[in-house]
Amino acid sequence: MDIVVNPKINKSELSRFFTEMEQQADAEEVASFKKGLKKSYVIAAYEDKKLIGFVKAVSDYATLVYIQDLLVLPSYQHLRVNKTLMHHLLNYFGTIEQVVVSPLIKADAKFYRQLGFSAGVEQGLETYFVDRRAR
């Protein structure tokens, strides 16, 4: 497995990745996601030059890191790719005081707890957001 920091991921590579993730993504969604990758800190994992996973984060590089996505192809999830990507990210941002993630899948909470994360509620924090995507 090769780890690449801020890789150049093209649209066809992203489309193939989302197809293998069994997530429907039209051309507009792929283009939007690609634009987001350019504005984020990304660490990607490749196997034989094939994108198998990545973690995407945004940060002010001083006080806060927000992990937006941690995605690994289902056929590689048992190989600790997610853990490897997260360790690289956490090491890179090692001096940042706050690292935040909002897992979409409740089962992922166990994974993040194993990495030292605690629930915001345990810290007296609440999260609020506005979702402006079309429904």
Side-chain angles (χ1 to χ4, degrees), residues 42-92:
V42 179
I43 303 173
Y46 290 86
E47 186 70 42
D48 297 325
K49 298 184 180 181
K50 173 186 173 183
L51 179 65
I52 62 169
F54 62 89
V55 60
K56 178 176 82 164
V58 293
S59 178
D60 63 6
Y61 291 88
T63 61
L64 179 72
V65 177
Y66 178 72
I67 300 167
Q68 291 181 290
D69 295 294
L70 174 59
L71 301 171
V72 176
L73 293 178
S75 57
Y76 290 89
Q77 289 179 358
H78 67 285
L79 299 175
R80 300 173 49 103
V81 176
N82 54 356
K83 195 172 228 174
T84 299
L85 290 169
M86 283 298 296
H87 280 298
H88 278 277
L89 182 95
L90 293 172
N91 285 336
Y92 178 79

Side-chain angles (χ1 to χ4, degrees), residues 6-7 9 32-42 56:
N6 291 325
I9 301 173
S32 179
F33 199 88
K34 183 171 174 23
K35 184 178 178 182
L37 288 174
K38 287 182 183 180
K39 303 287 185 180
S40 304
Y41 183 79
V42 179
K56 178 176 82 164

